[in-house]
Amino acid sequence: MNAATLTAQRVSVRLLLTGAVQGSGIRPKIARLAVQHGLGGCVRNCQSGVEIEAVGLNISVDLFLRTLQELVPDAQIEQSSLVPSFKYTTCESSDAAVFSIDDSQTLGPAAFVVPLDRVICKDCLDEVMTPGNRRFGYALNSCAECGPRYSILRSMPYDRQRTSMSAFPMCVECNAEYTDILHRRYHAQTNACPACGPSLWFVSSHTGRSNESDSIQAAVEAILRGDILAVKGMGGYQLICDATNDVIVQRLRERKGRAKKPLAVMVESLDAARQLANIDPIEELALTGVVGPIVLVRSIRESQLAKSVHPELSDVGLMLPTTALHALLMARVGRPIIVTSGNLEGEPIEYQEESAIRQLQGVADCFLHHDRPILRPIDDSVVRCMAGRQVILRSARGISPMSLKMDWNAKSNPTVLAVGGHQKAAIAISNGKNSVLGPHIGDLTTLANRDQYMEQQRELCNLYHVASVSVAHDLHSDYFTTVLAKSLTGQLGSSQSYPIQHHHAHVVAGMLEHGWLHRHVLGFAFDGTGAGSDNTIWGGEVLLCTATAFRRVARIRPIALVGGETAIRQPWRLAFSLLHDTFGDEAEAIASKLQLENNWLPAIAQMLKTRSLVPSTSSVGRLFDGVASIVCGASTSDYEGEAAMRLESLCSANSDGAYRFDHSGDTLLEMDWRPLIRALVADRLAGTAPGAMAMRFHRAVADCISNIAERFLEYPIVLSGGVFQNRILVELVAALLSNHPQSVGLPGSIPPNDGGLAAGQLAIANYQQSESPLCA
């Protein structure tokens, strides 16, 4: 056989693409590429990702394989060996010259990556905004590159018939696009148009019901006249109003029950965003990416936004239009609008028409509905950029379910459900093939949120084919998730329950983020509250960790919580506890000078002297709250983290100096804040600017972290816990540790707050059989 014959040999190859390969238009791209190279065969979705079978001349197959990796750079490609072949037996077409997109394979283990909702792409937006285009003004336009995915998904693999779009058969024109391999809508599963797709309508007590063609204009007129509009978006209802009118924003706050917590703002474009905030290149990438999150950026002091949008905070949450519907509204409203979750404060987001009308009728003046069913409600994601990276604070639309890169070299690969904590609750699950962190649900205080949590737990188990699991949960016995975990043990056929310490889970979530599950690390777990393994309240912990065990090597000096949880809502109590521990009997007089006077102070002072029925906490979050009360008079907190956020907002980077902690102890190092409080009080009484005091405090915390890290130079560093949502603190720590001999793991894709807790629980439970020499 000569060389020419060898080069002309026909071969076949079978490939499996894994990763985020469904719901992003990969099958049409692969089919076009195969046709360009003269190959036959097929491509199809399966339970593990995307399967490809290709047949043709070996030279063409080789070119196809080389180009394929460039076409799908984020996919992992598993290839079988090239073999001589003249036809395929598994493709639907018997013609070896034809390359087709075949029906999906629904058998096999669930090793897929669920496709995520994406913001509208430029091509779809151009169609919507171009007069004469048959999709001009179509508010629910999407294609293979953009639009709803997870929120409309019934089951995997991802195909139209397994989504809520199955209720909308394509018209002749849409079907022609769908079957044309050269058309950009070839095999776009959400393909639709005004003639055959979901429709929109507006309802108001003023005007009644409007036709679809008039609905956007009616909604715009409602916003401009000062109404509050409830809009059915991609993942649920949103409440919308004019963000430049303080009276209207205050009205929304009163009706929704959200007194001071900041509200998100949507703007038409990046240029419009720059009129409201200073935006750096990383924040620009976050705003304009396919996720379309709310991005916290530094506001311009004299912007057109109403003062009540983000009261007493320097950052504002901005987002760009995420769907054609939002883009059409923004193009006509011509000003920033509030876009906040469609719910009463503390309740789950509304996503079904009847329930939304019933629950929001006292909040919204009018409604903009559509009839594409939302099967999996999901809120907007929230991102903050710090130390040169995007940090996810709320993992939701476009980000979750988040695939977790678990190291499957552990001794066992159990199916595990991790139930998370009580605040910012989210679920994580592993089915032995893949692991995911589910979308943000919220605080589990209300019955409605608990019902939503349990529904998501059931739906995630069904989606990932999990029937029998072990359950990982927090140590806190009163958490709803802990009680639920114990009840699930029998219901799900669970073989084991894993109680996991709160701050260990935080650190291991950071280890998972950076691929360090096989290493020992020094973890700084700073947050508000978490049950300690010694039955006390932790929150300022330094832990020497592996993926299965930890040793507590340092903690913040305990702070008295006079009134228990009431002290969290009334930071002046924490301020007085700090003063009393620092100054003793002089504390009342100093509190008076600081204008922290309260009729309860004498009684509280007596309680602190005897420590009768007064719990304490080693919490950095509570230290932030108490210092905020001293610096800026934060006497009450309307929402979690308010006092600390106000303190960060005051920071003046141009000021000099830093307060300091003392350190003492041998087996357990104590970070003593009393020298800091003495210096802070002296500055306060001397009339030092609040911005300088706030900055000196932040530097003190960063210096404290750096000083402890210097004692453990052999370990990489992990920062986790809600305190590390603070941009100024993270950037100070990153600068101080830039010369640390080991790597420093900053927060990133897994939320550092309790929204990432379940990811750490999941990893710990999966690694319970690993060989760690550390003991808890």
Side-chain angles (χ1 to χ4, degrees), residues 320-333:
L320 299 181
T322 53
T323 69
L325 188 160
H326 292 96
L328 289 166
L329 287 175
M330 292 307 306
R332 301 188 195 184
V333 168

Side-chain angles (χ1 to χ4, degrees), residues 104-392:
S104 298
Q105 295 291 323
T106 58
L107 301 177
F112 47 73
V113 174
V114 169
L116 305 176
D117 301 318
R118 294 184 169 202
V119 301
I120 187 169
C121 68
K122 182 181 182 301
D123 288 337
C124 281
L125 191 58
D126 286 345
E127 290 173 344
V128 172
M129 297 299 183
T130 302
N133 189 289
R134 74 187 193 91
R135 292 185 174 87
F136 175 61
Y138 185 46
L140 299 167
N141 196 24
S142 66
C143 68
E145 302 288 341
C146 70
R149 297 293 188 269
Y150 172 77
S151 58
I152 62 171
L153 187 66
R154 285 196 179 90
S155 62
M156 290 289 284
Y158 173 74
D159 289 297
R160 189 184 186 102
Q161 65 265 32
R162 283 179 282 275
T163 73
S164 61
M165 285 299 294
S166 63
F168 303 94
M170 284 180 281
C171 64
V172 172
E173 289 180 276
C174 283
N175 192 63
E177 296 168 341
Y178 183 84
T179 54
D180 182 356
I181 194 169
L182 299 179
H183 201 283
R184 79 175 193 89
R185 292 179 172 274
Y186 177 53
H187 262 265
Q189 301 304 308
T190 60
N191 197 32
C193 71
C196 64
S199 58
L200 195 71
W201 68 96
F202 174 85
V203 179
S204 168
S205 57
H206 300 292
T207 61
R209 177 170 176 150
S210 298
N211 296 326
E212 181 171 13
S213 59
D214 302 324
S215 291
I216 292 294
Q217 185 57 35
V220 168
E221 291 172 0
I223 295 169
L224 293 178
R225 69 171 172 258
D227 283 354
I228 296 169
L229 173 68
V231 174
K232 187 178 180 183
M234 192 183 298
Y237 278 82
Q238 298 165 316
L239 294 169
I240 288 177
C241 71
D242 184 350
T244 67
N245 189 314
D246 201 61
V247 172
I248 297 169
V249 175
Q250 288 285 14
R251 185 185 305 148
L252 172 62
R253 287 192 174 281
E254 290 168 6
R255 293 182 183 180
K256 183 176 166 70
R258 189 183 181 114
K260 294 174 65 179
K261 194 174 182 180
L263 296 163
V265 175
M266 181 176 284
V267 291
E268 184 178 5
S269 65
L270 194 59
D271 286 341
R274 292 196 179 101
Q275 300 300 311
L276 305 179
N278 297 304
I279 298 171
D280 67 26
I282 297 173
E283 292 164 340
E284 179 178 330
L285 285 174
L287 279 166
T288 58
V290 297
V291 171
I294 299 165
V295 182
L296 302 185
V297 289
R298 283 149 284 206
S299 64
I300 294 173
R301 186 177 297 274
E302 298 301 326
S303 77
Q304 67 183 121
L305 292 179
K307 299 299 182 185
S308 55
V309 171
H310 55 112
E312 299 181 285
L313 300 179
S314 58
D315 279 14
V316 61
L318 297 184
M319 64 190 305
L320 299 181
T322 53
T323 69
L325 188 160
H326 292 96
L328 289 166
L329 287 175
M330 292 307 306
R332 301 188 195 184
V333 168
R335 66 187 67 175
I337 59 173
I338 298 294
V339 178
T340 189
S341 304
N343 57 3
L344 297 173
E345 192 65 17
E347 298 287 313
I349 187 171
E350 295 295 334
Y351 67 101
Q352 295 174 320
E353 180 188 340
E354 290 185 5
S355 178
I357 293 171
R358 184 172 61 253
Q359 296 296 324
L360 300 178
Q361 62 182 350
V363 182
D365 300 301
C366 43
F367 290 81
L368 189 58
H369 302 289
H370 64 73
D371 59 357
R372 183 182 64 216
I374 296 172
L375 303 181
R376 301 178 188 272
I378 190 164
D379 216 330
D380 294 318
S381 292
V382 179
V383 167
R384 196 178 197 191
C385 299
M386 55 184 84
R389 59 196 285 119
Q390 294 183 28
V391 178
I392 296 170

Side-chain angles (χ1 to χ4, degrees), residues 416-418 420 471-476 482 497-506 508 531 547-548 550 757-758 760-766 768:
V416 178
L417 169 68
V471 185
H473 61 86
D474 197 87
L475 291 182
H476 199 304
T482 302
S497 173
Y498 295 93
I500 292 170
Q501 201 280 321
H502 190 92
H503 300 94
H504 185 210
H506 270 313
V508 174
T548 58
F550 69 92
L757 197 68
Q761 293 173 344
L762 188 74
I764 293 169
N766 267 325
Q768 284 297 304

Side-chain angles (χ1 to χ4, degrees), residues 22 28 66 86 104 111 119 207 261 364 468 497 507 552 558 565 692 776:
Q22 295 192 29
R66 280 188 279 170
F86 293 94
S104 298
V119 301
T207 61
K261 194 174 182 180
S468 175
S497 173
V507 175
R552 192 186 191 196
E565 290 191 5

Side-chain angles (χ1 to χ4, degrees), residues 46 48 51 110 151 251 267 281 449 457 460 579 674 678 697 738 740 770:
C46 65
S48 297
E51 289 180 343
S151 58
R251 185 185 305 148
V267 291
N449 264 4
Q457 174 257 313
L460 279 178
L579 295 175
R674 289 177 298 180
R678 290 190 188 96
F697 171 72
S738 59
H740 193 273
S770 64

